[in-house]
Amino acid sequence: MIESKLPHVGTTIFTRMSSLAHECGALNLSQGFPDFGAPKPLLDALVRRVSAGHNQYAPMAGVTELREQIAAQLVRYRGVTCDPDTEITVVPGATEGIFCAITACIHPGDEVLLFDPCYDSYEPAIALAGGRAVHLSLTPDNFAIDWQQVGDSITPRTRMIVVNSPHNPTGAILSWDDLLELERLAELHDLLVISDEVYEHLVFDGQDHHSVLQLPALRQRSFAVFSFGKTYSVTGWKTGYCIAPHGLMAELRKVHQFVCFVANTPVQLALADFMAAEPDYPGTLADFYQAKRDLFCQALSSSRFNLAPSAGTYFQLLEYSKVSDTPDQELASQWTREIGIASIPISVFYQDSSPGHYLRFCFAKNDDVLLEASDRLCKI
Ligand code: PMP
Ligand code: GLN
């Protein structure tokens, strides 16, 4: 037997809950993926690109057409420019981009600040690099960052902060002031930043997504990570991208070329085709998903759950203390088996105990599924 490098890591909660949902024939509101199709022209573009023979290795950093489209979208949606040759790398999923950024930058003994509830892929990457994850908690009620606590937690060994906005699993978003504070602390203590912005286009109620790329000093020390899976409803295509200044990107690419070498060629070309033909598409997503959030939340208004409508992402937290005092992991399994609704227990995203009784529900689902799920939840 080998000595495990990740002795405390099991199979992810997303895989476990989706399998259980499948086994039980439950409505699967657990793992985050749409149950509806991707835009037809995007699917057609992939068929066309495969049939036309674009089936060999892409350039290591990604196909030029796609990197140019990414740069054009950055101007369109965030008002900032970047160099597609040196500052953008297409990766086989945001997960790989995050792994490569951490592996490239973290040395044994380096500390990385994370905020609980924290997306599950960050800590194993830090551990494999020999770093130490330092977990801070988002504030219990509104899941905000306590910057005073961040400042107090920085030590001479702190090398990096990982932020995620819009935030999975809580749906909270960082404000411009949050980013200014992040910039101030990162500059003061010479820290690197990974900014996980995979839900950048899913921000509701007329609010804006703020990217680290929009603050020039912060940008100089940040890797911003995005996922086509979220924006174009193709999570199974496992394609995303990372944007970072030239020096940081050069280091990321050294790792990326030996983890995966390249992302999938025809998928990249199909995405480039679709982005060129329909540049406005990402701008339609906020209204589309807000309508789903509102449908789900309104249908739950007669339930005994407490909820604050999500500010972003396609996840909605339900607080269930009036319904049950069963721990969330047990309850998520129980409800999958007994009432046929799978959700994600959020205590798994905390290093220490979680502050409340929350389950996460994905509302990237057809309206009839959301209505059936809320009907069942109202009866509990
Ligand atoms: N970060 C967050 C916060 C996510 O929810 C996800 C889920 N897909 C990822 C990263 C990974 O994205 P990808 O599927 O592109 O690897
Ligand atoms: N990001 C998705 C979620 O939060 C899941 C991705 C995965 O299964 N690793 O549900």
Side-chain angles (χ1 to χ4, degrees), residues 12 14-15 30-33 119-120 168 199 230 315 344 360:
T12 78
F14 309 115
T15 301
S30 64
Q31 193 176 25
F33 63 87
Y119 188 62
D120 63 351
N168 180 6
Y199 301 100
K230 310 294 167 190
F315 303 117
I344 295 289
R360 188 199 83 175

Side-chain angles (χ1 to χ4, degrees), residues 39 77 201-202 231 278-290:
Y77 288 101
H201 294 294
L202 279 53
T231 302
E278 302 206 27
D280 293 334
Y281 179 84
T284 66
L285 293 173
D287 286 351
F288 175 79
Y289 280 110
Q290 185 175 325

Side-chain angles (χ1 to χ4, degrees), residues 354-377:
S354 61
H357 293 82
Y358 290 101
L359 293 172
R360 188 199 83 175
F361 293 78
C362 175
F363 56 79
K365 306 294 165 190
N366 280 303
D367 290 357
D368 56 339
V369 173
L370 294 174
L371 290 173
E372 175 60 30
S374 39
D375 191 47
R376 293 185 200 178
L377 291 166

Side-chain angles (χ1 to χ4, degrees), residues 32 92-96 98 119 121-122 164 166 168 196 198-199 226-230 235 238-240 315 360:
T95 312
E96 197 252 8
I98 292 164
Y119 188 62
S121 83
Y122 310 152
N164 167 215
N168 180 6
D196 180 342
V198 300
Y199 301 100
F226 304 87
S227 174
F228 293 112
K230 310 294 167 190
T235 61
K238 287 302 302 182
T239 308
F315 303 117
R360 188 199 83 175

Side-chain angles (χ1 to χ4, degrees), residues 199-220:
Y199 301 100
E200 62 165 337
H201 294 294
L202 279 53
V203 172
F204 310 132
D205 304 315
Q207 300 203 72
D208 286 327
H209 170 67
H210 303 297
S211 172
V212 292
L213 300 172
Q214 293 168 300
L215 290 85
L218 184 54
R219 181 178 174 175
Q220 285 316 308

